[in-house]
Amino acid sequence: MSKDKSRFTLPDGLAEQPSRRPARVADLIRKVLSEQLLRQIRDPALQHVSISGVEMTGDLKQARIMFFCNVDEIDEVKRGLTRAKGFLRNQLARELSLKYVPDLKFYYDTGLDQQEKMEKLFADIADEEDDGTSPENNS
């Protein structure tokens, strides 16, 4: 008697492990772009910008590049990154062995701004508690 498949099966998509390749490619792209911005790009608008993250689509054809800079320089930096897009894609093609070089889309990373705001709020709360002016002490 041959062994039959179990009568219990998982729904489609649950049995498969999600691919880690987009995450690995995103990490490589972040490293290459950061290095290029540091060593090769001479655009003054891009002197104080850093790549904070990269998100890839599942088919590896588009990359969302998250950058961080001074709030006053966001528009100027975004224009500079857009001007350098062709050069950066060329460098990615040289450094990575991908079938397609992904299209790069640049977005300002607001996560670090939010983190700074939260840290300031927590520091203010801690200062109020140290001063004895917390709401619990006023009752």
Side-chain angles (χ1 to χ4, degrees):
M1 187 163 140
S2 66
K3 290 186 178 182
D4 289 44
K5 282 182 139 181
S6 171
R7 62 186 177 144
F8 299 104
T9 59
L10 292 172
D12 290 338
L14 289 181
E16 302 166 3
Q17 292 293 327
S19 175
R20 291 184 13 203
R21 188 161 190 240
R24 289 193 320 257
V25 170
D27 190 47
L28 287 171
I29 288 174
R30 185 187 58 77
K31 289 177 184 176
V32 170
L33 292 182
S34 295
E35 183 177 311
Q36 293 303 316
L37 286 171
L38 186 64
R39 300 182 198 282
Q40 298 288 333
I41 303 290
R42 300 289 180 231
D43 189 342
L46 303 178
Q47 294 302 310
H48 302 288
V49 64
S50 52
I51 304 297
S52 57
V54 176
E55 297 172 1
M56 296 295 301
T57 57
D59 61 2
L60 303 177
K61 290 189 178 184
Q62 290 186 351
R64 289 176 52 109
I65 312 300
M66 307 302 286
F67 68 90
F68 186 74
C69 64
N70 290 333
V71 178
D72 304 338
E73 302 172 350
I74 295 173
D75 292 332
E76 184 180 345
V77 167
K78 195 166 186 176
R79 282 191 300 270
L81 287 168
T82 303
R83 283 191 305 264
K85 183 193 293 194
F87 174 78
L88 293 171
R89 287 187 77 219
N90 190 357
Q91 294 303 312
L92 287 174
R94 289 180 187 203
E95 300 265 341
L96 307 176
S97 56
L98 296 173
K99 187 172 184 178
Y100 301 103
V101 178
D103 183 36
L104 307 178
K105 303 222 184 258
F106 300 100
Y107 299 91
Y108 178 71
D109 189 356
T110 59
L112 296 173
D113 289 338
Q114 296 296 329
Q115 180 180 348
E116 287 177 12
K117 288 178 185 177
M118 292 301 293
E119 287 174 1
K120 185 179 182 323
L121 285 172
F122 289 137
D124 291 346
I125 292 169
D127 288 344
E128 285 179 8
E129 288 178 355
D130 290 343
D131 294 342
T133 60
S134 67
E136 294 86 22
N137 292 341
N138 289 338
S139 15

mmCIF file with all atom_site columns, all heavy atoms in Angstrom, residues 74-91:
data_model
loop_
_atom_site.group_PDB
_atom_site.id
_atom_site.type_symbol
_atom_site.label_atom_id
_atom_site.label_alt_id
_atom_site.label_comp_id
_atom_site.label_asym_id
_atom_site.label_entity_id
_atom_site.label_seq_id
_atom_site.pdbx_PDB_ins_code
_atom_site.Cartn_x
_atom_site.Cartn_y
_atom_site.Cartn_z
_atom_site.occupancy
_atom_site.B_iso_or_equiv
_atom_site.pdbx_formal_charge
_atom_site.auth_seq_id
_atom_site.auth_comp_id
_atom_site.auth_asym_id
_atom_site.auth_atom_id
_atom_site.pdbx_PDB_model_num
ATOM 1   N N   . ILE A 1 74 ? 15.302 68.879 2.219   1.00 0.00 ? 74 ILE A N   1
ATOM 2   C CA  . ILE A 1 74 ? 14.644 67.701 1.643   1.00 0.00 ? 74 ILE A CA  1
ATOM 3   C C   . ILE A 1 74 ? 14.426 67.839 0.141   1.00 0.00 ? 74 ILE A C   1
ATOM 4   O O   . ILE A 1 74 ? 14.792 66.954 -0.634  1.00 0.00 ? 74 ILE A O   1
ATOM 5   C CB  . ILE A 1 74 ? 13.306 67.422 2.352   1.00 0.00 ? 74 ILE A CB  1
ATOM 6   C CG1 . ILE A 1 74 ? 13.555 67.035 3.805   1.00 0.00 ? 74 ILE A CG1 1
ATOM 7   C CG2 . ILE A 1 74 ? 12.538 66.317 1.635   1.00 0.00 ? 74 ILE A CG2 1
ATOM 8   C CD1 . ILE A 1 74 ? 12.296 66.914 4.635   1.00 0.00 ? 74 ILE A CD1 1
ATOM 9   N N   . ASP A 1 75 ? 13.831 68.947 -0.283  1.00 0.00 ? 75 ASP A N   1
ATOM 10  C CA  . ASP A 1 75 ? 13.527 69.116 -1.713  1.00 0.00 ? 75 ASP A CA  1
ATOM 11  C C   . ASP A 1 75 ? 14.799 69.154 -2.556  1.00 0.00 ? 75 ASP A C   1
ATOM 12  O O   . ASP A 1 75 ? 14.871 68.539 -3.622  1.00 0.00 ? 75 ASP A O   1
ATOM 13  C CB  . ASP A 1 75 ? 12.704 70.381 -1.940  1.00 0.00 ? 75 ASP A CB  1
ATOM 14  C CG  . ASP A 1 75 ? 11.307 70.267 -1.350  1.00 0.00 ? 75 ASP A CG  1
ATOM 15  O OD1 . ASP A 1 75 ? 10.793 69.134 -1.256  1.00 0.00 ? 75 ASP A OD1 1
ATOM 16  O OD2 . ASP A 1 75 ? 10.741 71.307 -0.974  1.00 0.00 ? 75 ASP A OD2 1
ATOM 17  N N   . GLU A 1 76 ? 15.801 69.867 -2.076  1.00 0.00 ? 76 GLU A N   1
ATOM 18  C CA  . GLU A 1 76 ? 17.064 69.981 -2.813  1.00 0.00 ? 76 GLU A CA  1
ATOM 19  C C   . GLU A 1 76 ? 17.750 68.616 -2.919  1.00 0.00 ? 76 GLU A C   1
ATOM 20  O O   . GLU A 1 76 ? 18.257 68.245 -3.983  1.00 0.00 ? 76 GLU A O   1
ATOM 21  C CB  . GLU A 1 76 ? 17.981 70.978 -2.100  1.00 0.00 ? 76 GLU A CB  1
ATOM 22  C CG  . GLU A 1 76 ? 19.265 71.254 -2.815  1.00 0.00 ? 76 GLU A CG  1
ATOM 23  C CD  . GLU A 1 76 ? 20.130 72.250 -2.060  1.00 0.00 ? 76 GLU A CD  1
ATOM 24  O OE1 . GLU A 1 76 ? 19.628 72.937 -1.152  1.00 0.00 ? 76 GLU A OE1 1
ATOM 25  O OE2 . GLU A 1 76 ? 21.324 72.334 -2.397  1.00 0.00 ? 76 GLU A OE2 1
ATOM 26  N N   . VAL A 1 77 ? 17.743 67.856 -1.824  1.00 0.00 ? 77 VAL A N   1
ATOM 27  C CA  . VAL A 1 77 ? 18.370 66.534 -1.830  1.00 0.00 ? 77 VAL A CA  1
ATOM 28  C C   . VAL A 1 77 ? 17.614 65.589 -2.764  1.00 0.00 ? 77 VAL A C   1
ATOM 29  O O   . VAL A 1 77 ? 18.222 64.838 -3.529  1.00 0.00 ? 77 VAL A O   1
ATOM 30  C CB  . VAL A 1 77 ? 18.446 65.965 -0.392  1.00 0.00 ? 77 VAL A CB  1
ATOM 31  C CG1 . VAL A 1 77 ? 18.802 64.492 -0.404  1.00 0.00 ? 77 VAL A CG1 1
ATOM 32  C CG2 . VAL A 1 77 ? 19.449 66.740 0.437   1.00 0.00 ? 77 VAL A CG2 1
ATOM 33  N N   . LYS A 1 78 ? 16.286 65.640 -2.730  1.00 0.00 ? 78 LYS A N   1
ATOM 34  C CA  . LYS A 1 78 ? 15.499 64.768 -3.606  1.00 0.00 ? 78 LYS A CA  1
ATOM 35  C C   . LYS A 1 78 ? 15.777 65.068 -5.073  1.00 0.00 ? 78 LYS A C   1
ATOM 36  O O   . LYS A 1 78 ? 15.908 64.146 -5.890  1.00 0.00 ? 78 LYS A O   1
ATOM 37  C CB  . LYS A 1 78 ? 14.011 64.910 -3.285  1.00 0.00 ? 78 LYS A CB  1
ATOM 38  C CG  . LYS A 1 78 ? 13.181 63.814 -3.865  1.00 0.00 ? 78 LYS A CG  1
ATOM 39  C CD  . LYS A 1 78 ? 11.799 63.802 -3.265  1.00 0.00 ? 78 LYS A CD  1
ATOM 40  C CE  . LYS A 1 78 ? 11.040 62.598 -3.764  1.00 0.00 ? 78 LYS A CE  1
ATOM 41  N NZ  . LYS A 1 78 ? 9.739  62.474 -3.159  1.00 0.00 ? 78 LYS A NZ  1
ATOM 42  N N   . ARG A 1 79 ? 15.894 66.359 -5.418  1.00 0.00 ? 79 ARG A N   1
ATOM 43  C CA  . ARG A 1 79 ? 16.247 66.720 -6.803  1.00 0.00 ? 79 ARG A CA  1
ATOM 44  C C   . ARG A 1 79 ? 17.644 66.217 -7.152  1.00 0.00 ? 79 ARG A C   1
ATOM 45  O O   . ARG A 1 79 ? 17.885 65.715 -8.258  1.00 0.00 ? 79 ARG A O   1
ATOM 46  C CB  . ARG A 1 79 ? 16.156 68.234 -7.003  1.00 0.00 ? 79 ARG A CB  1
ATOM 47  C CG  . ARG A 1 79 ? 14.729 68.750 -7.169  1.00 0.00 ? 79 ARG A CG  1
ATOM 48  C CD  . ARG A 1 79 ? 14.701 70.204 -7.623  1.00 0.00 ? 79 ARG A CD  1
ATOM 49  N NE  . ARG A 1 79 ? 15.352 71.114 -6.682  1.00 0.00 ? 79 ARG A NE  1
ATOM 50  C CZ  . ARG A 1 79 ? 14.735 71.730 -5.666  1.00 0.00 ? 79 ARG A CZ  1
ATOM 51  N NH1 . ARG A 1 79 ? 13.458 71.527 -5.462  1.00 0.00 ? 79 ARG A NH1 1
ATOM 52  N NH2 . ARG A 1 79 ? 15.396 72.540 -4.869  1.00 0.00 ? 79 ARG A NH2 1
ATOM 53  N N   . GLY A 1 80 ? 18.583 66.334 -6.221  1.00 0.00 ? 80 GLY A N   1
ATOM 54  C CA  . GLY A 1 80 ? 19.944 65.854 -6.457  1.00 0.00 ? 80 GLY A CA  1
ATOM 55  C C   . GLY A 1 80 ? 19.992 64.345 -6.652  1.00 0.00 ? 80 GLY A C   1
ATOM 56  O O   . GLY A 1 80 ? 20.700 63.843 -7.531  1.00 0.00 ? 80 GLY A O   1
ATOM 57  N N   . LEU A 1 81 ? 19.232 63.610 -5.855  1.00 0.00 ? 81 LEU A N   1
ATOM 58  C CA  . LEU A 1 81 ? 19.186 62.158 -6.006  1.00 0.00 ? 81 LEU A CA  1
ATOM 59  C C   . LEU A 1 81 ? 18.553 61.771 -7.341  1.00 0.00 ? 81 LEU A C   1
ATOM 60  O O   . LEU A 1 81 ? 18.998 60.834 -7.999  1.00 0.00 ? 81 LEU A O   1
ATOM 61  C CB  . LEU A 1 81 ? 18.413 61.526 -4.850  1.00 0.00 ? 81 LEU A CB  1
ATOM 62  C CG  . LEU A 1 81 ? 19.135 61.507 -3.508  1.00 0.00 ? 81 LEU A CG  1
ATOM 63  C CD1 . LEU A 1 81 ? 18.176 61.123 -2.392  1.00 0.00 ? 81 LEU A CD1 1
ATOM 64  C CD2 . LEU A 1 81 ? 20.331 60.580 -3.537  1.00 0.00 ? 81 LEU A CD2 1
ATOM 65  N N   . THR A 1 82 ? 17.538 62.512 -7.751  1.00 0.00 ? 82 THR A N   1
ATOM 66  C CA  . THR A 1 82 ? 16.900 62.244 -9.036  1.00 0.00 ? 82 THR A CA  1
ATOM 67  C C   . THR A 1 82 ? 17.873 62.503 -10.188 1.00 0.00 ? 82 THR A C   1
ATOM 68  O O   . THR A 1 82 ? 17.931 61.740 -11.153 1.00 0.00 ? 82 THR A O   1
ATOM 69  C CB  . THR A 1 82 ? 15.629 63.091 -9.191  1.00 0.00 ? 82 THR A CB  1
ATOM 70  O OG1 . THR A 1 82 ? 14.756 62.800 -8.092  1.00 0.00 ? 82 THR A OG1 1
ATOM 71  C CG2 . THR A 1 82 ? 14.915 62.791 -10.485 1.00 0.00 ? 82 THR A CG2 1
ATOM 72  N N   . ARG A 1 83 ? 18.677 63.583 -10.065 1.00 0.00 ? 83 ARG A N   1
ATOM 73  C CA  . ARG A 1 83 ? 19.696 63.866 -11.088 1.00 0.00 ? 83 ARG A CA  1
ATOM 74  C C   . ARG A 1 83 ? 20.734 62.747 -11.154 1.00 0.00 ? 83 ARG A C   1
ATOM 75  O O   . ARG A 1 83 ? 21.238 62.413 -12.220 1.00 0.00 ? 83 ARG A O   1
ATOM 76  C CB  . ARG A 1 83 ? 20.408 65.191 -10.787 1.00 0.00 ? 83 ARG A CB  1
ATOM 77  C CG  . ARG A 1 83 ? 19.650 66.429 -11.131 1.00 0.00 ? 83 ARG A CG  1
ATOM 78  C CD  . ARG A 1 83 ? 20.524 67.672 -11.052 1.00 0.00 ? 83 ARG A CD  1
ATOM 79  N NE  . ARG A 1 83 ? 21.179 67.838 -9.769  1.00 0.00 ? 83 ARG A NE  1
ATOM 80  C CZ  . ARG A 1 83 ? 20.717 68.596 -8.753  1.00 0.00 ? 83 ARG A CZ  1
ATOM 81  N NH1 . ARG A 1 83 ? 19.582 69.236 -8.888  1.00 0.00 ? 83 ARG A NH1 1
ATOM 82  N NH2 . ARG A 1 83 ? 21.388 68.695 -7.627  1.00 0.00 ? 83 ARG A NH2 1
ATOM 83  N N   . ALA A 1 84 ? 21.071 62.176 -10.010 1.00 0.00 ? 84 ALA A N   1
ATOM 84  C CA  . ALA A 1 84 ? 22.116 61.151 -9.942  1.00 0.00 ? 84 ALA A CA  1
ATOM 85  C C   . ALA A 1 84 ? 21.587 59.742 -10.179 1.00 0.00 ? 84 ALA A C   1
ATOM 86  O O   . ALA A 1 84 ? 22.356 58.783 -10.178 1.00 0.00 ? 84 ALA A O   1
ATOM 87  C CB  . ALA A 1 84 ? 22.808 61.219 -8.580  1.00 0.00 ? 84 ALA A CB  1
ATOM 88  N N   . LYS A 1 85 ? 20.289 59.598 -10.410 1.00 0.00 ? 85 LYS A N   1
ATOM 89  C CA  . LYS A 1 85 ? 19.665 58.276 -10.535 1.00 0.00 ? 85 LYS A CA  1
ATOM 90  C C   . LYS A 1 85 ? 20.331 57.421 -11.614 1.00 0.00 ? 85 LYS A C   1
ATOM 91  O O   . LYS A 1 85 ? 20.631 56.247 -11.396 1.00 0.00 ? 85 LYS A O   1
ATOM 92  C CB  . LYS A 1 85 ? 18.183 58.410 -10.837 1.00 0.00 ? 85 LYS A CB  1
ATOM 93  C CG  . LYS A 1 85 ? 17.467 57.080 -10.899 1.00 0.00 ? 85 LYS A CG  1
ATOM 94  C CD  . LYS A 1 85 ? 16.081 57.143 -11.502 1.00 0.00 ? 85 LYS A CD  1
ATOM 95  C CE  . LYS A 1 85 ? 15.104 57.894 -10.686 1.00 0.00 ? 85 LYS A CE  1
ATOM 96  N NZ  . LYS A 1 85 ? 13.703 57.671 -11.126 1.00 0.00 ? 85 LYS A NZ  1
ATOM 97  N N   . GLY A 1 86 ? 20.582 57.980 -12.783 1.00 0.00 ? 86 GLY A N   1
ATOM 98  C CA  . GLY A 1 86 ? 21.213 57.218 -13.868 1.00 0.00 ? 86 GLY A CA  1
ATOM 99  C C   . GLY A 1 86 ? 22.591 56.717 -13.486 1.00 0.00 ? 86 GLY A C   1
ATOM 100 O O   . GLY A 1 86 ? 22.931 55.549 -13.727 1.00 0.00 ? 86 GLY A O   1
ATOM 101 N N   . PHE A 1 87 ? 23.384 57.584 -12.893 1.00 0.00 ? 87 PHE A N   1
ATOM 102 C CA  . PHE A 1 87 ? 24.726 57.190 -12.449 1.00 0.00 ? 87 PHE A CA  1
ATOM 103 C C   . PHE A 1 87 ? 24.631 56.087 -11.397 1.00 0.00 ? 87 PHE A C   1
ATOM 104 O O   . PHE A 1 87 ? 25.374 55.100 -11.451 1.00 0.00 ? 87 PHE A O   1
ATOM 105 C CB  . PHE A 1 87 ? 25.476 58.401 -11.886 1.00 0.00 ? 87 PHE A CB  1
ATOM 106 C CG  . PHE A 1 87 ? 26.798 58.052 -11.277 1.00 0.00 ? 87 PHE A CG  1
ATOM 107 C CD1 . PHE A 1 87 ? 27.896 57.806 -12.078 1.00 0.00 ? 87 PHE A CD1 1
ATOM 108 C CD2 . PHE A 1 87 ? 26.941 57.953 -9.903  1.00 0.00 ? 87 PHE A CD2 1
ATOM 109 C CE1 . PHE A 1 87 ? 29.128 57.473 -11.519 1.00 0.00 ? 87 PHE A CE1 1
ATOM 110 C CE2 . PHE A 1 87 ? 28.152 57.619 -9.331  1.00 0.00 ? 87 PHE A CE2 1
ATOM 111 C CZ  . PHE A 1 87 ? 29.243 57.376 -10.145 1.00 0.00 ? 87 PHE A CZ  1
ATOM 112 N N   . LEU A 1 88 ? 23.718 56.249 -10.445 1.00 0.00 ? 88 LEU A N   1
ATOM 113 C CA  . LEU A 1 88 ? 23.582 55.259 -9.372  1.00 0.00 ? 88 LEU A CA  1
ATOM 114 C C   . LEU A 1 88 ? 23.118 53.908 -9.916  1.00 0.00 ? 88 LEU A C   1
ATOM 115 O O   . LEU A 1 88 ? 23.621 52.863 -9.490  1.00 0.00 ? 88 LEU A O   1
ATOM 116 C CB  . LEU A 1 88 ? 22.618 55.770 -8.298  1.00 0.00 ? 88 LEU A CB  1
ATOM 117 C CG  . LEU A 1 88 ? 23.106 56.989 -7.511  1.00 0.00 ? 88 LEU A CG  1
ATOM 118 C CD1 . LEU A 1 88 ? 22.001 57.534 -6.631  1.00 0.00 ? 88 LEU A CD1 1
ATOM 119 C CD2 . LEU A 1 88 ? 24.342 56.651 -6.700  1.00 0.00 ? 88 LEU A CD2 1
ATOM 120 N N   . ARG A 1 89 ? 22.189 53.908 -10.871 1.00 0.00 ? 89 ARG A N   1
ATOM 121 C CA  . ARG A 1 89 ? 21.739 52.652 -11.470 1.00 0.00 ? 89 ARG A CA  1
ATOM 122 C C   . ARG A 1 89 ? 22.886 51.989 -12.241 1.00 0.00 ? 89 ARG A C   1
ATOM 123 O O   . ARG A 1 89 ? 23.028 50.759 -12.227 1.00 0.00 ? 89 ARG A O   1
ATOM 124 C CB  . ARG A 1 89 ? 20.552 52.889 -12.399 1.00 0.00 ? 89 ARG A CB  1
ATOM 125 C CG  . ARG A 1 89 ? 19.276 53.202 -11.637 1.00 0.00 ? 89 ARG A CG  1
ATOM 126 C CD  . ARG A 1 89 ? 18.072 53.267 -12.538 1.00 0.00 ? 89 ARG A CD  1
ATOM 127 N NE  . ARG A 1 89 ? 17.690 51.893 -12.871 1.00 0.00 ? 89 ARG A NE  1
ATOM 128 C CZ  . ARG A 1 89 ? 17.260 51.520 -14.071 1.00 0.00 ? 89 ARG A CZ  1
ATOM 129 N NH1 . ARG A 1 89 ? 17.172 52.389 -15.053 1.00 0.00 ? 89 ARG A NH1 1
ATOM 130 N NH2 . ARG A 1 89 ? 16.919 50.271 -14.292 1.00 0.00 ? 89 ARG A NH2 1
ATOM 131 N N   . ASN A 1 90 ? 23.709 52.802 -12.909 1.00 0.00 ? 90 ASN A N   1
ATOM 132 C CA  . ASN A 1 90 ? 24.866 52.274 -13.627 1.00 0.00 ? 90 ASN A CA  1
ATOM 133 C C   . ASN A 1 90 ? 25.824 51.598 -12.644 1.00 0.00 ? 90 ASN A C   1
ATOM 134 O O   . ASN A 1 90 ? 26.348 50.512 -12.916 1.00 0.00 ? 90 ASN A O   1
ATOM 135 C CB  . ASN A 1 90 ? 25.555 53.404 -14.386 1.00 0.00 ? 90 ASN A CB  1
ATOM 136 C CG  . ASN A 1 90 ? 26.605 52.905 -15.335 1.00 0.00 ? 90 ASN A CG  1
ATOM 137 O OD1 . ASN A 1 90 ? 26.875 51.725 -15.410 1.00 0.00 ? 90 ASN A OD1 1
ATOM 138 N ND2 . ASN A 1 90 ? 27.211 53.831 -16.067 1.00 0.00 ? 90 ASN A ND2 1
ATOM 139 N N   . GLN A 1 91 ? 26.067 52.228 -11.504 1.00 0.00 ? 91 GLN A N   1
ATOM 140 C CA  . GLN A 1 91 ? 26.956 51.649 -10.498 1.00 0.00 ? 91 GLN A CA  1
ATOM 141 C C   . GLN A 1 91 ? 26.370 50.363 -9.922  1.00 0.00 ? 91 GLN A C   1
ATOM 142 O O   . GLN A 1 91 ? 27.099 49.401 -9.667  1.00 0.00 ? 91 GLN A O   1
ATOM 143 C CB  . GLN A 1 91 ? 27.223 52.664 -9.374  1.00 0.00 ? 91 GLN A CB  1
ATOM 144 C CG  . GLN A 1 91 ? 27.995 53.882 -9.831  1.00 0.00 ? 91 GLN A CG  1
ATOM 145 C CD  . GLN A 1 91 ? 29.322 53.523 -10.454 1.00 0.00 ? 91 GLN A CD  1
ATOM 146 O OE1 . GLN A 1 91 ? 30.093 52.737 -9.922  1.00 0.00 ? 91 GLN A OE1 1
ATOM 147 N NE2 . GLN A 1 91 ? 29.604 54.095 -11.613 1.00 0.00 ? 91 GLN A NE2 1
#
